Amino acid sequence: MLLKKYLTRVIAVSALAVIVIQTSCRKDADEPSPTDFGFDFTPYEVGATWTYRVDSINYNSFDQNGSIDTFSFCVRKTVTDTIVYSDQRKTFIVSESRTDTLNDNFIQDLVYQASINDYRFEVVDSNVKVVLLTYPPRLFDFWDANVFNIRMKEEYEVIDIVASDSVENMSFGETIHVLQRDEDFRTVRNYGLEKYSRGVGLIYSRQIAWVKKTLNDPDEVPNGFDYRYQLISFSK
């Protein structure tokens, strides 16, 4: 009698396991493959133009007493052309120009390349390729931005995905926040954060990099910079 009860339990457990496995397999097989890869977080096409207000703080510890200079100016990025390779991979040519103040004429400053390649958003500037974003963007995904260059490994991470965001009194829809670096010691501050909004692209960037010479002097002027980019207009 005990043996019969034992065998009955074993058979029941085995049958339940088979049902669970089959159900799981069917669920995996039925799950649709992703169709929205989030490419519209970087909507690059010829004619697309982004204009940013840049507020910067430059620290100079080499002056006699140290100096802190603040500047505000504009940067404009325009997709001017494309290159299509034999494998149909498309690269965008981006012209970046800037003003000395908020009111001067724009003067071209540099030209670089941007592309969506193998589910990566890559930028090549001065022959250095950096991976700024991966698709589809998922919360807490991370990658090495310098995997295709000889710089030190630098992990970027999606730290937030919000339904809406705002910059410079402009409202945006779904936006992802990408943390590029965050080192904060008493003598070193190294921080980078970018925000990409669906259908618009980069709407905000904060870049900080400075160092100090001493540990215990809170009044010491460091050497480095603090830049904040905020989108003020976008058009296609």
Side-chain angles (χ1 to χ4, degrees), residues 13-118:
V13 170
S14 300
L16 179 60
V18 169
I19 292 173
V20 170
I21 292 172
Q22 289 179 342
T23 302
S24 299
C25 291
R26 284 200 301 272
K27 182 179 178 182
D28 291 342
D30 294 340
E31 285 182 349
S33 58
T35 56
D36 178 12
F37 291 98
F39 295 136
D40 55 347
F41 281 103
T42 50
Y44 276 55
E45 61 182 59
V46 173
T49 301
W50 300 262
T51 303
Y52 301 91
R53 175 192 172 107
V54 183
D55 296 299
S56 69
I57 305 173
N58 291 334
Y59 303 100
N60 188 353
S61 63
F62 296 105
D63 287 353
Q64 183 175 1
N65 298 314
S67 64
I68 301 176
D69 297 316
T70 60
F71 303 93
S72 292
F73 54 94
C74 289
V75 168
R76 178 170 292 164
K77 302 183 180 186
T78 301
V79 180
T80 59
D81 202 356
T82 58
I83 301 173
V84 181
Y85 296 95
S86 57
D87 59 359
Q88 300 305 307
R89 180 169 50 89
K90 183 184 291 186
T91 294
F92 301 95
I93 308 302
V94 183
S95 173
E96 182 173 307
S97 55
R98 63 183 58 209
T99 65
D100 288 334
T101 67
L102 294 175
N103 301 313
D104 291 344
N105 294 327
F106 284 88
I107 299 175
Q108 187 180 74
D109 185 53
L110 59 91
V111 175
Y112 64 90
Q113 298 180 356
S115 63
I116 297 174
N117 180 34
D118 196 20

